[in-house]
Amino acid sequence: MAITILPPVVEDTRPYQVDSDDDISMDSEEDIEMTGVSRPHKRPRLQGNSNIGVGIVTPGEVVTDDPQWMRGHGTYMNPLSTSIIATVAGTVQKTNKLLSVHPLRARYTPEIGDLVVGRIVEVQSRRWKVDVAAPLLAQLPLSAINLPGGILRRRTSADELQIRTFFSEGDLVVAEVQSVHQDGSASLHTRSLKYGKLRNGVFLAVTGTGGSGASSSSVKGGVGAGKSASGSALAAPGGSGTGGVVRSRRQVWTVPTANGGGEVNIILGVNGYIFISKHSEGEDAASSTTENVSITRMEEMVSSSIYSSQNDDISPQTRREIARLAQCIRVLVQSGVRVDEETVMGAYNASLQVDLEIGDDEDDEDEWRQEGREYLEGAKAQQILELVKQQL
């Protein structure tokens, strides 16, 4: 059988084509009138590009098989084909010719300067390993903390032997990200007096910047325990079901609570870890002089009590207001609303307003009914969200 070789077809890319000389005529103003000029042929578009980036892709789904695209984060390319396959569930992002899949829920990505709340999971010779909801455990070096008494000296072997007297496994700590290593792990420090060990409060784990997991809670000091369900059907203003802690102007502030609860501290970690605790009287002096404290006065400000694991006595009124604040944060997260100082205070004030509208209809003898008035779910949660929506 004979083989016939055909010559290649060359596409005509000339911009203009004139059919005849009669089609060009000159008018009185010497303008050229082109009647038989045809437009240049457009370059044929590649098929399948219009569907890229539409909807949500799942792991194993082919994003595109066009060889002109390059794969980015969250994608995988089979070496035997040109198909780009998604490795995570999320939305497709296009940057020029780069395709990447942004996950719907991901671990926290540390950045320098972030205020985070973490839990000590491992004690080593010169450092602690801290869980900050990141892909890798963060490290807190022994040289990055304040020694009891404010002594400024080089850490010795005696400090290494007493390393568990500062932080031990299970302790909660608030710190700042000092640096981020090449592998993505973070290095923390607690050199400021506003950082250190946490106690006398309740711990919440919600979604943070980049997402850190489901909403849950645990107790540090006997305030209350339990877990909160995620995925409520309540609609939030502008929420997409992924509400959580966002970076804001203030991550730590003190709330003057109602009903005789006193003052309560709220710490919103950028990684999605939250700590709500009773306000101590000695914290005012420490926080007010943190910026102006000198090296000679450091010994007066830093005492051994900052590393104490003994919780103080907390009154029932303070416990009730701490539980109310924690429940307000859960309502915001489950409804897809961002968590910052504005929304938390708005939800807390709205919960107090809802209680005033409902009133005390129960008799004084029904104490077990009055104990459940702080439960903010169902119709109460819907009313709180509507009031918060009006403030935003």
Side-chain angles (χ1 to χ4, degrees):
M1 181 178 179
I3 299 176
T4 304
I5 300 176
L6 299 177
V9 179
V10 180
E11 183 181 358
D12 189 6
T13 59
R14 290 178 297 176
Y16 301 101
Q17 181 179 359
V18 181
D19 294 338
S20 62
D21 297 338
D22 298 338
D23 295 333
I24 302 178
S25 61
M26 303 292 293
D27 56 3
S28 59
E29 297 179 357
E30 297 182 356
D31 292 336
I32 299 177
E33 181 182 358
M34 298 182 181
T35 58
V37 178
S38 61
R39 292 180 175 271
H41 297 284
K42 293 184 178 180
R43 182 179 179 181
R45 295 185 178 181
L46 298 176
Q47 300 295 330
N49 295 343
S50 59
N51 296 329
I52 297 178
V54 179
I56 298 176
V57 296
T58 56
E61 182 178 350
V62 177
V63 180
T64 181
D65 55 358
D66 195 341
Q68 72 169 342
W69 295 96
M70 297 184 298
R71 71 176 188 90
H73 294 288
T75 60
Y76 165 76
M77 180 176 291
N78 191 346
L80 301 179
S81 65
T82 59
S83 300
I84 298 179
I85 304 172
T87 58
V88 295
T91 57
V92 180
Q93 293 183 349
K94 294 184 290 186
T95 306
N96 294 331
K97 294 298 181 180
L98 181 68
L99 284 181
S100 59
V101 178
H102 182 69
L104 297 177
R105 300 181 66 180
R107 304 283 289 179
Y108 162 69
T109 303
E111 293 185 7
I112 297 177
D114 286 349
L115 185 141
V116 296
V117 176
R119 186 183 295 274
I120 305 295
V121 296
E122 184 180 351
V123 180
Q124 298 181 355
S125 60
R126 289 180 173 269
R127 65 182 59 87
W128 295 270
K129 291 292 185 178
V130 188
D131 176 22
V132 292
L136 299 175
L137 295 177
Q139 59 179 356
L140 177 62
L142 180 61
S143 59
I145 68 171
N146 289 324
L147 294 177
I151 303 175
L152 298 177
R153 58 175 174 80
R154 188 174 182 178
R155 308 303 187 264
T156 61
S157 58
D159 298 325
E160 297 179 12
L161 294 176
Q162 300 177 359
I163 189 171
R164 290 184 183 273
T165 61
F166 306 130
F167 299 109
S168 60
E169 291 87 346
D171 289 343
L172 292 173
V173 59
V174 54
E176 182 180 345
V177 178
Q178 184 178 14
S179 61
V180 179
H181 301 286
Q182 188 175 3
D183 59 351
S185 61
S187 180
L188 311 178
H189 81 90
T190 60
R191 293 190 182 94
S192 177
L193 296 180
K194 59 184 178 180
Y195 304 141
K197 184 179 293 187
L198 298 175
R199 57 195 183 102
N200 299 328
V202 61
F203 170 79
L204 299 176
V206 300
T207 54
T209 301
S212 61
S215 173
S216 62
S217 63
S218 63
V219 179
K220 190 73 173 179
V223 176
K227 286 191 176 182
S228 61
S230 59
S232 175
L234 297 177
S240 59
T242 58
V245 181
V246 297
R247 292 184 177 90
S248 58
R249 184 176 59 89
R250 283 205 308 176
Q251 303 289 139
V252 182
W253 74 95
T254 303
V255 180
T257 59
N259 303 323
E263 294 183 341
V264 174
N265 294 334
I266 299 180
I267 301 176
L268 300 180
V270 180
N271 57 337
Y273 288 171
I274 302 174
F275 195 78
I276 308 173
S277 62
K278 172 188 174 183
H279 180 72
S280 301
E281 297 179 356
E283 294 180 1
D284 289 334
S287 60
S288 61
T289 57
T290 298
E291 299 178 356
N292 301 325
V293 66
S294 60
I295 297 178
T296 57
R297 293 193 57 197
M298 182 67 73
E299 184 176 355
E300 301 176 5
M301 301 303 303
V302 182
S303 61
S304 59
S305 61
I306 62 175
Y307 296 112
S308 175
S309 299
Q310 183 65 33
N311 293 293
D312 301 333
D313 293 334
I314 304 176
S315 62
Q317 294 80 6
T318 305
R319 292 169 179 256
R320 189 175 293 109
E321 296 307 313
I322 290 177
R324 180 189 294 272
L325 285 168
Q327 188 64 26
C328 290
I329 294 176
R330 293 192 188 100
V331 170
L332 295 176
V333 173
Q334 294 172 7
S335 305
V337 182
R338 72 177 191 274
V339 178
D340 56 8
E341 182 181 2
E342 180 183 2
T343 56
V344 171
M345 295 306 300
Y348 178 74
N349 296 329
S351 66
L352 297 176
Q353 183 177 350
V354 169
D355 285 348
L356 291 177
E357 294 177 356
I358 295 177
D360 190 5
D361 298 335
E362 292 84 1
D363 298 334
D364 296 336
E365 298 177 357
D366 298 338
E367 296 181 357
W368 63 276
R369 291 186 178 181
Q370 296 182 6
E371 290 294 332
R373 290 183 55 187
E374 290 78 15
Y375 182 70
L376 304 179
E377 290 290 348
K380 282 188 176 182
Q382 186 66 32
Q383 295 178 12
I384 292 174
L385 288 176
E386 292 177 356
L387 294 175
V388 173
K389 185 189 301 184
Q390 297 175 2
Q391 299 175 4
L392 295 179

